[in-house]
Structure formats: structure tokens, C-alpha cells
Amino acid sequence: EDLRWTVMKCAIAVVVGMLVALMGSGYIIDALKFPLERAQTMQKVLGQKDPAKRTIPIKIGDGIVGTVHQIDLEELMRQNMFRGSATNLSEITSIRLRPSTYDLKSTNGMQILDENGTRYPLEMFVETNGTGSNKWSLELKAFGPMKGFMIALRIGFFGGLVIAFPFILYFIAQFVVPALRVKEKEWMLRLSLSGSVLFAIGVAFAYIVILQIALWASVGFAEMLGLQADEWQAEEYISFVCLFLIGMGIAFQLPMVLLFLVKIGLLDYKKLGDLRMYAVVANLVISAVLTPTGDPITLLLVAGPLHLLYEL
């Protein structure tokens, strides 16, 4: 009966957490997009040099309405069709459309169309490395009529698990702790607190440091292969970020696993020292599974902290 109520309370906690996550889905999406926005401000070392392939975003306000190839701007530049201080196309980071500052011709107080048939003309201004904030531009889009619904479900699922996780641990502890001895209760409390802290550190490290470098490297390698990386599916991006954060949090539980093996007598510090080279290989394999791009920079950023936790 206790087990039945424990499972029921855990399920209710997940459902309530999903409802809370769905109500705050807009804020969650903004938080998940933050590493991508930071990655776009990084200097693009692996970018393309071919002007026929380099894309430049076109903006109205802060929104991106499209992209244009650098080579297509050459004719406009020769015709002086846009305003700005750029003399070299490689300096341009974006093109911004703004309402025209000049008045349209009017007849009896009524506006008439200009020679291009436009009632409200827009002027093009270039933003260079000194004025633009992004080194490259990438949009998240929901392709398909059901994609928005699927994205909401994924946000609700992952967000619900995160919100309900502390309550789930509490309900499981209520069920398990009465069967433990006093010494076992002390160790369970220590491991739970330490594991929670390590999980939070792993998620924060992945969110603040690794994700933006991994996304930057992913776009760079795609463009080195001659592939365009200016649009991603929002559903895949959100799933990837959530799974990567959770995976890093779980990977940072390595000290808890080793401590448990030591306490039951399977390992000691001498054996751990002898197994150091095997641990290096194992950490590299785990990092290769966790990292999205497989590039050596991201791989070492994940493997380094894991091996440091092993040594500690």
C-alpha cells in the first residue's frame, strides 16, 4: 500500500510539474535559446571564406526576416543601394531595414505610391563588426502544423521532470528511509545532498560554458562542409539542449558512484590510482557520447571536469 501511494504521489508531482512548465513555456524557451544567442556573439574562426556561401541576416527591428548571400550584395553595393559605413563586404554582419526618412509625394494631402509602387518604403542600412552584435545568424523554426504542439509537449515533459524531481526524491525517501539503519540513513542523506549539488554544478557548467562552444563549433563544421546552418528545427534543438543538460548532470554523479563502490569494499584509493589510465579512456568515451558535435574542443571541455572529479 505504501509503494502504491508512493508511485501515485510521484506521478501527480510529474503532472503538476508539467502543467507549471507549460504555463511558463515562453520563459523556458528563452532560457534554452540563451546559449545559442551567446554562441552567435563568438568570433567565427571556422566560418566560410567563400562569399557565395556566406549568409548575412536581414532584420526589421530585432527580428530576422530573411538572409542574403554575400555575393548577392555586390551588385547592390556597386549601385549604392544601401547606407552605412562598410567598405568591405566581409565586414558586414547584418542588414537592417528601416522606414524611409523622406516624405512621399502627396496630392491634396493624400499619399501616393512611389515609382516602385511602394506606399511605405524601407531603406537598407548595413551593420558592421563595430555596430552589429552577431557574428553569424541562426533561426529556430517549427516546420509543420503539429511542431508547435510537439515542442510544447517536450517542454512540459522535461520541465515537469525537473520541477517534480525534488518532490520525487522526497517521496522515495519517505518510502525507503524507515527500512534503513541509523548509519545507512546518515550516508543516504550525505549522498543525496552531494549528488544534488553535483547535478546542479554539471547542468550549470554545461549551460554556461559547453553549450555555446558546442553550438558554435557545430555551425562552423557544417559550413566547412559547404552546408548552410542558418535554420534549425526548434523541436530538435530543444530536445538536444534538455538531454545534454540532463546528461551532464548525471555524468557529474561520478564521485558518488565511486564513493559507493569504495564504501562496499570493491575499490580503494590505491585501486583507483592503478585504474587511472582506464578512467581517462572511459571519460573520453562518456564525453564522446554526451557531446553533440564530436569536435576535440567540446570533447576536452567535457572530459576534463569528469577526470578532475575522478581524481577528487
Side-chain angles (χ1 to χ4, degrees):
E1 188 66 18
D2 277 344
L3 177 60
R4 184 181 294 110
W5 277 105
T6 299
V7 173
M8 187 176 297
K9 288 187 289 187
C10 291
I12 293 174
V14 172
V15 172
V16 173
M18 290 179 65
L19 294 176
V20 173
L22 286 174
M23 289 187 292
S25 57
Y27 299 102
I28 295 177
I29 290 179
D30 290 339
L32 296 179
K33 288 169 58 179
F34 179 71
L36 180 60
E37 295 172 353
R38 290 191 61 183
Q40 293 182 27
T41 62
M42 297 174 62
Q43 181 62 39
K44 194 174 182 183
V45 178
L46 300 177
Q48 299 168 336
K49 303 301 181 182
D50 187 355
K53 297 180 180 179
R54 177 176 177 253
T55 57
I56 300 173
I58 302 174
K59 300 179 179 179
I60 295 182
D62 294 330
I64 299 176
V65 296
T67 58
V68 62
H69 291 292
Q70 175 180 321
I71 195 171
D72 294 331
L73 293 179
E74 293 181 356
E75 183 64 26
L76 294 176
M77 195 171 187
R78 285 194 294 267
Q79 299 177 5
N80 195 25
M81 294 292 291
F82 52 78
R83 301 184 180 184
S85 58
T87 57
N88 188 348
L89 283 174
S90 62
E91 298 175 353
I92 300 175
T93 56
S94 64
I95 296 175
R96 188 175 298 276
L97 301 179
R98 303 175 183 174
S100 175
T101 56
Y102 60 85
D103 295 330
L104 291 173
K105 299 178 181 179
S106 61
T107 303
N108 297 327
M110 300 293 293
Q111 286 185 335
I112 60 175
L113 302 179
D114 64 3
E115 61 274 10
N116 295 322
T118 304
R119 182 181 294 276
Y120 305 106
L122 296 173
E123 293 180 318
M124 293 186 292
F125 293 79
V126 298
E127 292 183 338
T128 62
N129 291 333
T131 59
S133 59
N134 290 351
K135 302 301 180 184
W136 47 276
S137 177
L138 193 152
E139 292 183 90
L140 297 178
K141 293 188 176 182
F143 297 102
M146 294 297 294
K147 291 298 183 180
F149 178 72
M150 298 302 298
I151 292 171
L153 285 182
R154 290 177 184 271
I155 291 175
F157 176 73
F158 291 116
L161 288 180
V162 172
I163 295 173
F165 187 71
F167 300 97
I168 293 175
L169 287 181
Y170 176 74
F171 296 143
I172 294 176
Q174 278 186 321
F175 178 75
V176 174
V177 166
L180 301 180
R181 299 182 178 90
V182 175
K183 193 66 175 179
E184 293 171 337
K185 292 179 181 179
E186 293 179 359
W187 275 108
M188 183 176 181
L189 179 61
R190 293 178 185 177
L191 290 176
S192 299
L193 293 176
S194 302
S196 300
V197 172
L198 286 173
F199 185 86
I201 293 175
V203 171
F205 179 72
Y207 182 78
I208 297 174
V209 179
I210 299 180
L211 264 179
Q212 60 173 324
I213 298 177
L215 295 172
W216 166 78
S218 177
V219 173
F221 278 112
E223 294 190 347
M224 283 182 63
L225 296 175
L227 304 174
Q228 293 298 319
D230 53 0
E231 291 183 0
W232 282 352
Q233 289 194 33
E235 182 182 5
E236 293 186 4
Y237 173 81
I238 291 173
S239 297
F240 154 71
V241 172
C242 292
L243 291 175
F244 183 66
L245 294 178
I246 294 174
M248 281 298 296
I250 295 175
F252 267 56
Q253 303 301 305
L254 176 63
M256 299 299 99
V257 176
L258 296 179
L259 184 59
F260 173 76
L261 296 177
V262 168
K263 286 300 176 181
I264 63 176
L266 292 180
L267 291 176
D268 55 33
Y269 77 96
K270 291 183 179 180
K271 291 181 179 179
L272 289 174
D274 295 337
L275 297 174
R276 180 174 285 108
M277 296 307 299
Y278 297 98
V280 171
V281 176
N283 287 329
L284 288 174
V285 172
I286 294 173
S287 303
V289 174
L290 289 177
T291 51
T293 59
D295 63 280
I297 299 176
T298 309
L299 187 70
L300 293 177
L301 279 176
V302 177
L306 289 182
H307 191 72
L308 178 60
L309 291 174
Y310 179 89
E311 296 294 340
L312 292 175

